[in-house]
């Protein structure tokens, strides 16, 4: 699912939740004390924010792209995972099923939102997220097809 983040802190916290080692282990791998790491999460401390290389470290350590997605969101863009280079026919089939499920899920969300004849802010956010997810799945499928059948 392609996430939308309203703040960098939100993206970092989601990265932390995806990492089994937790915040303390991320800080350790970055060469920061737990307190130094935590202080950088405080949005009111402009003098102690994460550097670009530290944000990149968070992504690398956690194996996520949430920080990149935050910056993409700010630019009106989205990130799309690049499929592995050794996609086979069976994996392509699974990718196509995921694409169909994402498109179907988007249709369900739109239908539910329109049930009362109008779309509120929460419903609009759900539609936007489901749309981004469906587009990412479509892009992933296209890339996989190219990789599998490129001569």
């Amino acid at each position: 699912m392609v996430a939308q983040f309203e703040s960098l802190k939100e993206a970092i916290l989601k990265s932390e939740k995806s990492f089994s080692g937790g915040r303390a282990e991320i800080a350790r791998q970055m060469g920061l004390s737990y307190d130094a790491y935590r202080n950088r999460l405080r949005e009111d401390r402009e003098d102690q924010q994460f550097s670009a290389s530290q944000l990149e470290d968070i992504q690398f350590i956690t194996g996520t792209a949430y920080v990149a997605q935050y910056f993409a969101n700010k630019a009106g863009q989205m990130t799309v995972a690049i499929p592995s280079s050794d996609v086979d026919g069976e994996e392509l089939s699974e990718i196509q099923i995921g694409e169909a499920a994402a498109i179907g899920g988007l249709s369900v969300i739109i239908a539910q939102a329109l049930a009362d004849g109008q779309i509120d802010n929460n419903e609009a956010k759900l539609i936007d997220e489901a749309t981004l997810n469906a587009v990412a799945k479509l892009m992933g499928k296209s890339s996989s097809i190219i990789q599998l059948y490129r001569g």
Side-chain angles (χ1 to χ4, degrees), residues 13-21 62 64 66:
L13 293 176
K14 179 125 182 177
S15 298
E16 291 176 359
K17 288 179 184 174
S18 300
F19 182 65
S20 61
T62 62
T64 66
Y66 298 127

Side-chain angles (χ1 to χ4, degrees), residues 71-125:
F71 287 107
N73 291 161
K74 285 187 65 115
Q77 306 293 312
M78 62 184 264
T79 61
V80 177
I82 299 171
S84 71
S85 59
D86 20 328
V87 174
D88 62 20
E90 185 175 320
E91 289 170 317
L92 180 58
S93 178
E94 291 174 16
I95 290 168
Q96 289 173 317
I97 291 169
E99 174 201 23
I103 292 169
L106 170 60
S107 296
V108 168
I109 290 169
I110 291 171
Q112 290 171 341
L114 292 174
D116 64 358
Q118 61 185 14
I119 296 175
D120 64 28
N121 289 339
N122 187 45
E123 291 167 332
K125 185 174 180 180

Side-chain angles (χ1 to χ4, degrees), residues 3 9 47 50 57 123 135-136 147:
K9 181 178 180 178
D47 60 326
F50 288 110
D57 288 344
E123 291 167 332
V135 169
Q147 287 180 11

Side-chain angles (χ1 to χ4, degrees), residues 132-143:
L132 288 173
N133 188 48
V135 169
K137 296 287 186 182
L138 177 64
M139 301 266 314
K141 180 194 80 172
S142 297
S143 295

